[in-house]
Amino acid sequence: LVRSMFVAGLDLDLVVESINKLLLPVGLDNFSTLDACVIDLNLMNCSFIKLGSSVSILKHKMTSEIIECKSLPIGIVQNIRPTIINKKIFEGDTIFLASDGVVDAFGDMERYKCFINDAKFSNLQKFTDDIIEEIKEISK
């Protein structure tokens, strides 16, 4: 629904407000996170839009930046404002959005950031398999 509203050209505030109003009456246990990244390749920037979501990582050639969420999920309180973080991107950058289960499995934010920073991305399936193997190793 959020994607459809964005594609239709609706303003971010209207999208968040509308979705929040749909979820509020249902009850306290009905909330959703929103984790999106809108990329403008012409201006070479991106906007992380986060509501109650896990961290994201923007990986540059030699370093990685953690993008944190400072807002509640949709459907909890009446007036909600998303965390919006704008970043400049460069050729070769990689953006990671992951569920809290993946991030939490690393147990330590620095460990997760280091894993992403050291990862090779020539094959997305191999990268995904590597994350699963790393989480299995951590869980032992």
Side-chain angles (χ1 to χ4, degrees), residues 2-4 6 16 34 37 42 46 48 53 56 67 70 87 94 102 136-137:
V2 170
R3 182 181 179 279
S4 297
F6 272 125
V16 170
L34 172 66
C37 183
N42 292 322
C46 65
F48 291 89
S53 60
S56 298
I67 312 298
K70 306 266 192 231
K87 292 288 182 178
T94 308
V102 170
K136 285 180 183 176
E137 203 52 43

Side-chain angles (χ1 to χ4, degrees), residues 48-89:
F48 291 89
I49 305 163
K50 304 174 93 42
L51 283 157
S53 60
S54 185
V55 299
S56 298
I57 294 185
L58 173 57
K59 182 184 185 313
H60 305 292
K61 287 181 182 172
M62 302 302 288
T63 62
S64 296
E65 291 181 66
I66 294 176
I67 312 298
E68 293 185 86
C69 179
K70 306 266 192 231
S71 53
L72 294 170
I74 299 172
I76 292 182
V77 295
Q78 195 72 289
N79 296 318
I80 193 157
R81 307 292 302 150
T83 299
I84 301 174
I85 300 170
N86 299 303
K87 292 288 182 178
K88 188 81 176 142
I89 55 174

Side-chain angles (χ1 to χ4, degrees), residues 108-126:
D108 176 310
M109 191 57 57
E110 195 58 33
R111 185 178 199 170
Y112 178 62
K113 182 181 171 186
C114 287
F115 177 83
I116 296 296
N117 202 46
D118 295 342
K120 306 291 182 253
F121 305 105
S122 56
N123 179 319
L124 188 55
Q125 184 60 55
K126 170 88 171 88

Side-chain angles (χ1 to χ4, degrees), residues 12-45:
L12 174 63
D13 290 334
L14 179 60
V15 171
V16 170
E17 183 181 330
S18 299
I19 301 295
N20 197 46
K21 283 184 180 178
L22 286 171
L23 293 176
L24 272 174
V26 178
L28 294 174
D29 291 338
N30 193 29
F31 60 88
S32 294
T33 62
L34 172 66
D35 196 5
C37 183
V38 179
I39 301 169
D40 185 330
L41 293 175
N42 292 322
L43 296 175
M44 292 301 288
N45 64 30

